[in-house]
Amino acid sequence: MSGMAGCMTAKIEEVRDAPTRITANEAVVLLAKPHLEGTGTEDKFLDCLERELVGESFSADHASAKKSGKDRDPRSNIKDKPFQVYADDQFVDAFYPWLEPSTAPVNPQGFSTFLSRPGVSERVSSLGVRFIVWVDGVTQKTDGGGSIACAVGPGGAGCLGLGWWEKQSDYEATVWDLRDGVSAGTVSTDVKGTSVMIGAVAPIPIISPVQSTACDRLANQLRSFLVGADDEDPVNAPPKQTKAAE
């Protein structure tokens, strides 16, 4: 039996420090915020963000072809996209070792130092990358309880009981403008949901997809943030809150 959807609450917040107006010929690179210790953002969440933002990313072949001048236009096979997403591993490799966990910038001062290193600005320009988006956060279980017992007998197999668990997806994306050398702001999402497993002959799952919901909400808000608006001012936007029942 396919799982039914549980109830969730989702909150989106945006803080803007500088105007943004990315174009279709510019790219962003999504990077997990460096952590020397502890758990960093999951790769599958970054992959989900990439898909939700534009559907495709620059591959290593695109980057290599552009560098050699053999690629006519590496963006030509991506139609009607507001911007592109550059391959994260290619970007980190291009600036080794300055984006490794022990040396990566984590504040405006470190970011300015990174851009001032010899050849960094020129290399950024050649790659066509306008923004670095540091993504920080994880999805984790926060509570749970109950139990389900399953057994097989002469009359067949069956389960009885009820189990539940709560999960929270809390992520923040910090946007660094490589062209202007400033922090443009942050977009964050916090999604909480309770899932239930009911034992009634066959287990019946009622699942709250908190991580996929967080990915969808963060990607939509981040896309809007990067595209910007004509009358955009660098002021703090009020928190935006929504509820999801998926």
Side-chain angles (χ1 to χ4, degrees), residues 122-139:
E122 293 80 4
R123 194 174 304 176
V124 165
S125 179
S126 70
L127 295 176
V129 175
R130 169 77 185 278
F131 295 101
I132 290 179
V133 179
W134 287 125
V135 182
D136 192 19
V138 293
T139 295

Side-chain angles (χ1 to χ4, degrees), residues 12-180:
I12 293 288
E13 294 186 358
E14 176 183 308
V15 177
R16 181 177 292 279
D17 299 320
T20 54
R21 188 82 53 76
I22 195 169
T23 68
N25 290 326
E26 296 175 316
V28 303
V29 59
L30 302 176
L31 299 176
K33 188 174 181 179
H35 284 266
L36 293 176
E37 297 180 358
T39 303
T41 301
E42 308 91 340
D43 288 341
K44 67 177 182 179
F45 186 79
L46 291 177
D47 292 341
C48 176
L49 269 185
E50 181 179 292
R51 291 193 305 271
E52 292 295 322
L53 279 172
V54 295
E56 296 189 45
S57 69
F58 281 146
S59 67
D61 291 340
H62 277 154
S64 178
K66 181 179 180 183
K67 197 171 186 179
S68 65
K70 296 179 180 178
D71 195 358
R72 295 171 299 171
D73 182 359
R75 301 168 178 83
S76 60
N77 65 332
I78 306 176
K79 304 296 185 182
D80 302 321
K81 304 295 183 182
F83 54 86
Q84 311 306 328
V85 177
Y86 197 92
D88 56 350
D89 55 346
Q90 277 287 350
F91 191 81
V92 172
D93 290 346
F95 294 98
Y96 180 85
W98 308 122
L99 294 177
E100 297 301 307
S102 60
T103 55
V106 294
N107 54 45
Q109 294 76 20
F111 182 64
S112 297
T113 300
F114 167 70
L115 290 177
S116 66
R117 296 186 182 279
V120 167
S121 295
E122 293 80 4
R123 194 174 304 176
V124 165
S125 179
S126 70
L127 295 176
V129 175
R130 169 77 185 278
F131 295 101
I132 290 179
V133 179
W134 287 125
V135 182
D136 192 19
V138 293
T139 295
Q140 57 187 346
K141 180 180 176 180
T142 57
D143 201 359
S147 64
I148 293 180
C150 297
V152 178
C159 297
L160 187 64
L162 182 146
W164 63 273
W165 61 96
E166 292 180 351
K167 281 190 173 184
Q168 180 176 5
S169 290
D170 191 2
Y171 296 93
E172 181 179 80
T174 301
V175 182
W176 300 97
D177 189 333
L178 296 176
R179 187 190 68 187
D180 297 334

